[in-house]
Amino acid sequence: MKNFTSYKELGLVNSRDMFAKAVTGGYAIPAYNFNNLEQLQAIIMACVETSSPVILQVSKGARSYANQTLLRHLAAGAVEYAAELGKSVPIVLHLDHGDSFELCKDCIETGFSSVMIDGSHLSYEENVKLTRQVVEYAHQHDVTVEGELGVLAGIEDDVHAAHHTYTEPDQVEDFVSKTGVDSLAIAIGTSHGAFKFKPGEEHEIRLDILAEIEKRIPGFPIVLHGASSVPQELVQMINAHGGKLKDAVGISEEQLRAAARSAVCKINIDSDGRLAMTAAIRKVLDEKPEEFDPRKYLGPARDSLKQLYIHKIVNVLGSNGKA
Ligand code: G3H
Ligand code: 13P
Ligand code: ZN
């Protein structure tokens, strides 16, 4: 049996306090995915510079790409790294889209302070049962749990849902009370990946459904997945340097800002970061074909990612100064 490592030994925090403050303060915490050192550095630099709390997310794909133990040590290192940069910001290490009790348990036992159990593809009853099982185990270790109701369109762990199934406001109160979750991810029209909508297609997010959900569970922390905005200047930069990204469109930042002012207290952004890094790397390799030192293209990619994350914190999430 592995040794149990509590996130508390690593200087990490769970999301409870962070969410309580974000709900009353009218802002959202950035939940940024990371798979490697440069992404982690960019996230921490951006959060220290803006004094923002942060949720570091690890997906199943990230675990198999980078190794969960290494990612956990990177996250623990981030606590010290932030202090070295001049500011101790609260850091949550969160499992993104956990799909089984065993995976969540393994993460809880190896230093994660928060887990998502995504039962959104199951029947309502099975989602409740699985989520409840994870909550019971997680809460014994003071780890917070995110559940999900409703199905987002887009690509998620290689599963592609063609249409949204919006969260049913009538179900949220029952789900929250039966499962005991600490936060709830909802489907109101956001979508995973860079190709969320066809250009010109209607893609307003349903702030009316969000308002309805808030009425049923006032003050309860709500999470938005699939919240990348797919900045067109990044798509153009990628394509100008040899890329082929067609018809990539995302969520409006104004709408996300409105959501963050309400009970939405965690906003997940991954694809925009991928675009920022790829654009910077393509530019360097296109303009300097003689370059072969990875630091010469990963460094600019990291800078570009940091700027993107600062922009999100200040102009979309409103979490600057809240650390
Ligand atoms: O929602 C999915 C996240 O963007 C993580 O993506 O599973 O390819 O690491 P991934
Ligand atoms: P994006 O693909 O819109 O960045 O969403 C990321 C996400 O929801 C991670 O869980
Ligand atoms: Zn997601």
Side-chain angles (χ1 to χ4, degrees), residues 112-168:
F112 282 62
S113 60
S114 174
V115 294
M116 175 189 193
I117 177 70
D118 181 355
S120 62
H121 298 280
L122 303 172
S123 70
Y124 180 74
E125 289 71 26
E126 286 182 66
N127 189 359
V128 168
K129 193 170 160 216
L130 177 61
T131 306
R132 175 78 224 156
Q133 187 190 11
V134 172
V135 168
E136 274 170 7
Y137 186 72
H139 283 182
Q140 286 173 36
H141 300 286
D142 204 16
V143 167
T144 39
V145 180
E146 175 183 326
E148 179 165 338
L149 261 186
V151 182
L152 272 68
I155 297 173
E156 200 178 284
D157 269 334
D158 298 330
V159 179
H160 188 272
H163 302 288
H164 309 282
T165 306
Y166 294 122
T167 305
E168 184 50 69

Side-chain angles (χ1 to χ4, degrees), residues 280-281 284-285 288 291-301:
I281 290 170
V284 173
L285 296 182
K288 298 181 188 158
E291 200 54 78
F292 68 97
D293 179 346
R295 294 171 296 189
K296 296 288 168 34
Y297 50 85
L298 292 177

Side-chain angles (χ1 to χ4, degrees), residues 183-220:
S183 61
L184 181 68
I186 59 167
I188 55 168
T190 59
S191 159
H192 286 108
F195 304 93
K196 299 184 192 300
F197 314 101
K198 302 248 175 328
E201 195 177 81
E202 178 61 49
H203 59 269
E204 297 275 292
I205 57 173
R206 296 286 302 272
L207 295 173
D208 57 318
I209 300 180
L210 172 62
E212 209 40 59
I213 289 170
E214 274 193 70
K215 272 193 219 153
R216 314 296 172 99
I217 43 173
F220 192 81

Side-chain angles (χ1 to χ4, degrees), residues 33 35 59-62 96-97 155-157 192 225 270-271 274:
N33 291 69
N35 302 260
S59 70
K60 204 174 167 188
D96 192 23
H97 294 284
I155 297 173
E156 200 178 284
D157 269 334
H192 286 108
H225 282 246
D270 187 9
S271 298
R274 296 178 182 192

Side-chain angles (χ1 to χ4, degrees), residues 5-312:
T5 305
S6 166
Y7 68 87
K8 293 179 186 179
E9 296 161 37
L10 307 178
L12 301 163
V13 296
N14 70 24
S15 61
R16 197 167 290 123
D17 258 27
M18 242 183 221
F19 286 170
K21 289 182 186 148
V23 170
T24 52
Y27 60 92
I29 312 289
Y32 295 143
N33 291 69
F34 79 107
N35 302 260
N36 67 20
L37 176 69
E38 285 77 9
Q39 289 173 324
L40 180 78
Q41 288 175 310
I43 296 168
I44 299 301
M45 286 175 188
C47 291
V48 166
E49 214 164 294
T50 56
S51 194
S52 171
V54 68
I55 297 174
L56 298 173
Q57 303 203 128
V58 171
S59 70
K60 204 174 167 188
R63 292 172 85 239
S64 53
Y65 172 76
N67 180 281
Q68 182 182 313
T69 306
L70 286 176
L71 291 175
R72 184 244 300 173
H73 281 286
L74 280 179
V79 175
E80 264 182 63
Y81 176 56
E84 273 173 28
L85 290 179
K87 174 98 194 165
S88 293
V89 296
I91 300 175
V92 168
L93 178 61
H94 175 76
L95 169 68
D96 192 23
H97 294 284
D99 59 359
S100 68
F101 172 75
E102 290 69 30
L103 173 57
C104 292
K105 182 170 180 281
D106 187 53
C107 288
I108 291 163
E109 291 175 353
T110 53
F112 282 62
S113 60
S114 174
V115 294
M116 175 189 193
I117 177 70
D118 181 355
S120 62
H121 298 280
L122 303 172
S123 70
Y124 180 74
E125 289 71 26
E126 286 182 66
N127 189 359
V128 168
K129 193 170 160 216
L130 177 61
T131 306
R132 175 78 224 156
Q133 187 190 11
V134 172
V135 168
E136 274 170 7
Y137 186 72
H139 283 182
Q140 286 173 36
H141 300 286
D142 204 16
V143 167
T144 39
V145 180
E146 175 183 326
E148 179 165 338
L149 261 186
V151 182
L152 272 68
I155 297 173
E156 200 178 284
D157 269 334
D158 298 330
V159 179
H160 188 272
H163 302 288
H164 309 282
T165 306
Y166 294 122
T167 305
E168 184 50 69
D170 281 343
Q171 286 183 332
V172 294
E173 207 180 337
D174 186 66
F175 186 81
V176 163
S177 69
K178 281 192 178 140
T179 58
V181 278
D182 302 282
S183 61
L184 181 68
I186 59 167
I188 55 168
T190 59
S191 159
H192 286 108
F195 304 93
K196 299 184 192 300
F197 314 101
K198 302 248 175 328
E201 195 177 81
E202 178 61 49
H203 59 269
E204 297 275 292
I205 57 173
R206 296 286 302 272
L207 295 173
D208 57 318
I209 300 180
L210 172 62
E212 209 40 59
I213 289 170
E214 274 193 70
K215 272 193 219 153
R216 314 296 172 99
I217 43 173
F220 192 81
I222 302 293
V223 177
L224 287 187
H225 282 246
S228 278
S229 297
V230 191
Q232 292 304 294
E233 62 278 14
L234 293 178
V235 175
Q236 280 154 17
M237 191 168 154
I238 288 173
N239 290 342
H241 294 286
K244 284 191 180 146
L245 295 184
K246 260 189 67 203
D247 297 349
V249 182
I251 311 291
S252 114
E253 292 191 336
E254 290 67 34
Q255 284 210 303
L256 292 171
R257 185 72 199 100
R261 285 201 183 91
S262 74
V264 169
C265 64
K266 170 176 180 270
I267 294 190
N268 290 11
I269 298 169
D270 187 9
S271 298
D272 283 356
R274 296 178 182 192
L275 294 170
M277 289 192 89
T278 301
I281 290 170
R282 277 200 175 276
K283 184 168 187 295
V284 173
L285 296 182
D286 188 26
E287 290 175 352
K288 298 181 188 158
E290 70 285 2
E291 200 54 78
F292 68 97
D293 179 346
R295 294 171 296 189
K296 296 288 168 34
Y297 50 85
L298 292 177
R302 183 177 62 195
D303 293 344
S304 166
L305 192 54
K306 174 186 162 190
Q307 290 315 320
L308 174 92
Y309 285 154
I310 289 177
H311 159 73
K312 299 282 180 186

